[in-house]
Amino acid sequence: MDRKNATSTMATNDPHHLDPPGTPQPGDLIEIFRPAYQHWALYLGDGYIINLTPVDESQAAAISSVKSVFSRKAVVRMQLLKEVVGDDSYRVNNKYDDHHTPLPVDDIIQRSQVLIGQEVSYDLLGSNCEHFVTLLRYGEGVSEQATRAIGAITLVTAAASAFSVLGLINTRSRNRPF
């Protein structure tokens, strides 16, 4: 095995190492790793992406804002990938291609360009940045990140309900006169 392949193999065995981001092609989904969440964008070409940013922030501040997660409105922006990524890391991640057929690249780019500068609704669970870019790529909004969050919320709600019922039963049994 040559040195290059050995290094490559070692890197893939490291669970904290991300694969190199690859060279994005127009229409590719770009996953950007923020400290507390993943931000998603769609590659347009020539170093530019389209993504959602908060309405009430300057373009520069919107790039890595956690506030974007809690916003109810967003603006569709075309920005340089390297500026949006900043000090974070990213990768090309067309992870839904096995289950969803991508639209033709020309259609993806045309649909994207029409939306630049538009204000859109934003909802962390139902209409987030991942939904937005998958809608452009596949014609259907999909978000594994939102599905996981909904699952976690459901679990916490079910646990809280169970503890509430158990507390009610326990209170009633202590209040019995016999």
Side-chain angles (χ1 to χ4, degrees), residues 118-137:
Q118 300 291 318
E119 187 173 300
V120 297
S121 294
Y122 183 91
D123 175 356
L124 180 62
L125 301 177
S127 185
N128 64 31
C129 57
E130 188 176 6
H131 287 110
F132 174 73
V133 297
T134 56
L135 182 62
L136 291 171
R137 182 171 174 84

Side-chain angles (χ1 to χ4, degrees), residues 29-156:
L29 299 178
I30 306 295
E31 182 178 21
I32 302 166
F33 298 91
R34 301 289 191 225
Y37 65 99
Q38 286 81 40
H39 179 64
W40 289 83
L42 184 126
Y43 191 74
L44 297 175
D46 296 325
Y48 284 90
I49 54 98
I50 187 171
N51 71 135
L52 296 179
T53 63
V55 171
D56 58 347
E57 290 190 12
S58 71
Q59 192 166 337
I63 289 171
S64 63
S65 174
V66 173
K67 184 178 180 182
S68 65
V69 173
F70 301 106
S71 189
R72 301 296 293 163
K73 293 277 187 188
V75 173
V76 179
R77 288 204 167 91
M78 184 173 97
Q79 298 173 285
L80 283 169
L81 173 61
K82 66 182 181 179
E83 290 178 4
V84 174
V85 171
D87 292 334
D88 296 326
S89 60
Y90 78 97
R91 68 177 174 176
V92 171
N93 189 354
N94 297 318
K95 66 182 180 176
Y96 300 112
D97 282 8
D98 290 342
H99 303 288
H100 302 279
T101 304
L103 298 170
V105 173
D106 289 343
D107 291 354
I108 295 170
I109 301 305
Q110 184 178 28
R111 292 162 51 113
S112 300
Q113 290 174 335
V114 167
L115 295 170
I116 294 169
Q118 300 291 318
E119 187 173 300
V120 297
S121 294
Y122 183 91
D123 175 356
L124 180 62
L125 301 177
S127 185
N128 64 31
C129 57
E130 188 176 6
H131 287 110
F132 174 73
V133 297
T134 56
L135 182 62
L136 291 171
R137 182 171 174 84
Y138 305 110
E140 178 183 353
V142 182
S143 176
E144 190 177 274
Q145 193 170 216
T147 302
R148 281 194 312 266
I150 290 168
I153 290 167
T154 301
L155 180 63
V156 168

